[in-house]
Amino acid sequence: MLCNRVIDCLVAGFVVVLLSSNGFTSGTETDLFCLRSIKNSLQDPNNYLITWDFTNRSEGIICKFAGILCWHPDENKVLSISLSDMGLKGQFPRGIENCTSLTGLDLSNNQLSGRIPSDIGGIVSFATTLDLSSNDFTGPIPKSLFNCSYLNILKLDHNQLSGEIPPELGLLGRLTTFSVSNNLLNGPVPRFPNLTNRADMYANNPGLCGGPSMSPCSSPPSNGPHTAVIAGAAVGGITIAAIGVGIGMYFYFRNASMKRGKRDDDPEGNKWAKSIKGKKAIKVSVIEKSVSKMSLSDLMKATNNFSKNNIIGSGRTGCIYRAVFENGTSLMVKRLQESQHTEKEFLSEMATLGSVKHANLVPLLGFCMAKRERLLVYKDMPNGTLHDQLHPVDDGGEPMEWSLRLKIGIRAAKGLAWLHHNCNPRIIHRNISSKCILLDENFEPKISDFGLARLMNPIDTHLSTFVNGEFGDLGYVAPEYTRTLLATPKGDVYSFGVVLLELATGERATHVSKAPEDFKGNLVEWVTKLSDSSKVQEALDVSLVGKNIDGELLQFLKVAQSCIVPTPKERPTMFEVYQLLRAIGEGYVFTTEDEIMMPTDTEHDGGLEELIVAR
């Protein structure tokens, strides 16, 4: 199981690298041409594609087309196309090949006919989902599907496909769903390395053999090996190789873990800190003019050589140390996990992050490079993380008051909305949680770690989180990420919705203390279950109930629920989340100075009142 997860994650990392290296995150004319050619090649008797109006050339307009999901809501770059149940007629639309960053295609339950293109493996080569079921496609299943090596879901059932199932499909090691039932297929069924064949996957194909509830296949001719045998041998080779890589990765991370343990037991400080002592004279590049000049030597002295006793937080991007200087000043120093970026790339990222200024973001004060180490200097946040304030270890403190929780929710939403809509360049956080929302001396929330995901090596990051049994910050990751492998603004909205649930319920994202003992789900699943049974009020923090604020609490919870719906398109934008929360807090003093931002775009045309009702 460990081997499978490591290999699966390694491939996921490569998908991210390949897509980003080809510049797939910026809008191009090819995607507009792609959708226009699709519309022109299909008959649309029910006018479902009437929203595909190409007269408006503004950036992001195609993201509002029916069935289109974009990489970013304001860029003309298509992530997936879902045109199921529209009654569409015609042949497979070859124009799809111009949507070069496509990761999902669903044309199911239509009246499409003709052959599936023989080169479909090149048309949708990066697809993780391909659903052509319930149409009238004829001819063979193309062998080129083997080239779609990132496929998780392949559905070709309920068509009129004939011939053998290409044995090469057995090499699609990421498949979790496969169906070719109700066709005219014959010959042996393939064997998949990570998918168990079931009878329903092949039902109503009288000519198939060698699968569940099927007759055994006849012996292959003596003049040469059967292709299925060849495929089986290839699968065996791939499986053995995968096991070998998995074992290697297991021992690599185990050794790394042992090294970390030895480092923490070192009474004189971390070994990595010792290794850079020869670089003490290196100056810290100061971004904020108000910060005194300092060197690496000053940072080491202020953190007691980066002692583990000075660690005040840790996460996917690295550890944070409190640095206390001789003059009494306190700062935070983040040691980034090892990055594959060159010095030039790192300096470029620092220049960008250093220019990002907002009242609800933790300001980057400076940075330092020593050998392969990357150290970031931030303003100190005396009240720690929102997570620790909401979920104290000793459970002896007073619960956080509602007015403070509401203020934190509004101001944190304001900071994240600014990153999404007003920052230039716009930034997707990718790792929002209550642990990355820090609180200053006045309990003003400041979002940390923004922009750092781009400094991490995607393969190393995914591997380390998978090996440690996590997937990002467990409990906060949007459900579509495991399918698309892509960070989006709506993914941030989902994660922030979980933070809002924490504020309203007082429960942790991964564990619900009030839930029955037999409940094994996370906070999102618990609140959703209560909502489905009309008992959502039971989710509210008992310390807040009965204080004449129940109406505000339920409104707040409703906003949180709108953020965690499974379908990304149905979630509000962060600007809308900010406005909805601000409307709830209109009666409080802390909203009077909150200016209303005017982003360049939103995804919803309806007003706030309409959105609240809809949610």
Side-chain angles (χ1 to χ4, degrees):
M1 178 63 72
L2 175 64
C3 299
N4 290 340
R5 294 171 73 190
V6 170
I7 294 300
D8 190 50
C9 187
L10 183 62
V11 175
F14 278 121
V15 175
V16 175
V17 171
L18 286 170
L19 294 178
S20 60
S21 65
N22 282 281
F24 287 170
T25 56
S26 60
T28 68
E29 286 293 318
T30 57
D31 286 68
L32 289 168
F33 178 74
C34 169
L35 299 187
R36 189 183 295 110
S37 62
I38 291 173
K39 183 178 181 179
N40 291 338
S41 66
L42 296 175
Q43 299 176 44
D44 179 25
N46 299 316
N47 291 322
Y48 280 108
L49 303 184
I50 194 171
T51 61
W52 290 28
D53 182 3
F54 297 95
T55 57
N56 186 340
R57 304 285 293 180
S58 60
E59 195 72 11
I61 188 63
I62 66 175
C63 304
K64 299 177 182 178
F65 288 1
I68 301 301
L69 181 65
C70 291
W71 282 65
H72 190 283
D74 51 10
E75 291 181 347
N76 288 334
K77 202 65 182 172
V78 178
L79 171 66
S80 70
I81 299 175
S82 180
L83 305 179
S84 62
D85 295 294
M86 291 187 175
L88 301 175
K89 299 179 181 180
Q91 297 190 340
F92 183 93
R94 285 201 62 92
I96 286 174
E97 63 188 348
N98 293 295
C99 288
T100 52
S101 57
L102 196 71
T103 63
L105 177 62
D106 184 356
L107 300 176
S108 62
N109 290 289
N110 284 295
Q111 300 177 44
L112 302 180
S113 58
R115 296 193 170 206
I116 300 173
S118 60
D119 59 342
I120 190 172
I123 296 175
V124 292
S125 56
F126 290 107
T128 59
T129 299
L130 178 60
D131 190 349
L132 303 180
S133 62
S134 300
N135 280 289
D136 295 311
F137 287 117
T138 57
I141 297 175
K143 293 181 180 180
S144 67
L145 282 170
F146 161 69
N147 295 321
C148 299
S149 54
Y150 307 115
L151 276 177
N152 289 286
I153 299 172
L154 177 57
K155 300 180 72 174
L156 304 172
D157 53 277
H158 292 84
N159 280 288
Q160 301 181 50
L161 301 173
S162 57
E164 291 192 354
I165 303 174
E168 292 87 351
L169 297 189
L171 299 179
L172 293 174
R174 293 178 56 81
L175 275 185
T176 58
T177 301
F178 177 71
S179 178
V180 291
S181 62
N182 294 279
N183 279 290
L184 306 172
L185 300 169
N186 56 58
V189 302
R191 296 289 184 268
F192 299 99
N194 297 311
L195 178 62
T196 302
N197 277 334
R198 303 186 314 275
D200 62 293
M201 294 161 55
Y202 306 97
N204 299 317
N205 283 283
L208 291 178
C209 62
S213 304
M214 300 179 193
S215 302
C217 297
S218 58
S219 301
S222 58
N223 59 348
H226 195 279
T227 54
V229 176
I230 297 175
V235 171
I238 292 293
T239 303
I240 293 173
I243 292 173
V245 172
I247 292 174
M249 294 306 299
Y250 167 76
F251 283 107
Y252 169 82
F253 283 104
R254 191 183 71 167
N255 291 337
S257 177
M258 292 173 64
K259 289 179 181 178
R260 285 195 298 270
K262 291 178 180 179
R263 178 189 68 202
D264 289 342
D265 292 334
D266 182 2
E268 298 180 28
N270 287 316
K271 289 184 178 180
W272 71 267
K274 288 183 178 181
S275 71
I276 60 174
K277 280 188 175 181
K279 305 290 183 180
K280 284 185 176 183
I282 292 177
K283 299 296 182 182
V284 174
S285 298
V286 175
I287 295 175
E288 288 284 343
K289 293 181 179 179
S290 60
V291 179
S292 302
K293 293 182 179 180
M294 65 184 79
S295 65
L296 176 58
S297 177
D298 296 322
L299 294 184
M300 296 184 72
K301 187 174 181 180
T303 58
N304 193 22
N305 283 337
F306 293 96
S307 166
K308 66 176 183 179
N309 295 325
N310 284 59
I311 295 177
I312 57 175
S314 62
R316 285 178 61 191
T317 54
C319 285
I320 301 177
Y321 299 81
R322 174 158 283 125
V324 182
F325 297 85
E326 291 181 347
N327 63 0
T329 302
S330 291
L331 297 175
M332 299 187 303
V333 182
K334 188 176 191 83
R335 181 207 177 196
L336 287 180
Q337 297 212 12
E338 187 170 310
S339 169
Q340 298 299 315
H341 282 68
T342 65
E343 182 174 322
K344 183 178 180 181
E345 290 170 330
F346 179 75
L347 289 173
S348 176
E349 288 292 336
M350 290 299 98
T352 299
L353 294 182
S355 66
V356 177
K357 308 291 183 186
H358 189 272
N360 296 111
L361 302 178
V362 178
L364 177 64
L365 305 181
F367 62 92
C368 180
M369 295 182 293
K371 293 185 176 180
R372 300 188 69 176
E373 295 295 332
R374 305 287 190 264
L375 305 172
L376 309 183
V377 181
Y378 294 99
K379 181 181 177 181
D380 190 25
M381 296 290 126
N383 284 308
T385 69
L386 173 60
H387 179 275
D388 291 344
Q389 290 288 340
L390 280 175
H391 318 295
V393 177
D394 55 13
D395 292 328
E398 289 292 323
M400 188 180 288
E401 293 183 359
W402 167 240
S403 60
L404 180 55
R405 299 191 198 197
L406 181 56
K407 182 184 89 166
I408 290 172
I410 293 172
R411 298 282 175 82
K414 181 181 176 184
L416 188 54
W418 188 84
L419 286 175
H420 281 194
H421 299 284
N422 294 79
C423 181
N424 186 18
R426 300 181 187 188
I427 293 176
I428 301 174
H429 192 288
R430 309 185 188 197
N431 197 28
I432 283 290
S433 72
S434 58
K435 292 181 180 179
C436 74
I437 298 176
L438 307 184
L439 305 172
D440 69 7
E441 60 275 8
N442 298 316
F443 284 88
E444 183 74 21
K446 312 274 187 177
I447 297 175
S448 66
D449 283 4
F450 57 90
L452 294 189
R454 292 183 299 184
L455 287 171
M456 300 294 100
N457 180 287
I459 297 176
D460 289 345
T461 300
H462 286 300
L463 279 175
S464 62
T465 52
F466 263 79
V467 170
N468 287 305
E470 301 176 6
F471 196 91
D473 278 323
L474 206 60
Y476 297 91
V477 179
E480 68 270 13
Y481 185 80
T482 56
R483 174 176 53 83
T484 65
L485 310 174
L486 176 71
T488 66
K490 290 303 183 74
D492 275 2
V493 171
Y494 180 95
S495 301
F496 189 75
V498 180
V499 174
L500 296 181
L501 289 183
E502 288 183 84
L503 286 166
T505 66
E507 298 287 349
R508 298 172 186 267
T510 55
H511 175 71
V512 182
S513 61
K514 292 189 294 186
E517 290 185 5
D518 59 346
F519 180 78
K520 305 300 180 183
N522 57 27
L523 179 57
V524 169
E525 293 166 338
W526 180 62
V527 172
T528 301
K529 183 177 181 181
L530 289 177
S531 181
D532 291 342
S533 57
S534 301
K535 298 180 180 179
V536 71
Q537 67 275 6
E538 296 180 12
L540 298 174
D541 191 332
V542 293
S543 69
L544 304 176
V545 177
K547 297 183 177 180
N548 297 321
I549 54 172
D550 288 6
E552 292 177 13
L553 287 170
L554 289 174
Q555 282 183 297
F556 190 90
L557 193 59
K558 185 178 290 188
V559 175
Q561 288 178 285
S562 73
C563 295
I564 59 169
V565 294
T567 305
K569 271 196 169 183
E570 294 179 4
R571 299 171 199 154
T573 64
M574 272 312 304
F575 177 64
E576 290 170 335
V577 173
Y578 165 66
Q579 287 189 310
L580 289 168
L581 294 176
R582 191 175 182 278
I584 296 172
E586 280 181 341
Y588 293 82
V589 176
F590 55 75
T591 62
T592 57
E593 297 180 358
D594 257 10
E595 76 281 3
I596 297 179
M597 301 177 301
M598 294 299 293
T600 55
D601 63 88
T602 60
E603 289 182 21
H604 297 279
D605 297 325
L608 288 177
E609 183 177 347
E610 177 184 342
L611 185 62
I612 293 173
V613 172
R615 303 297 174 192

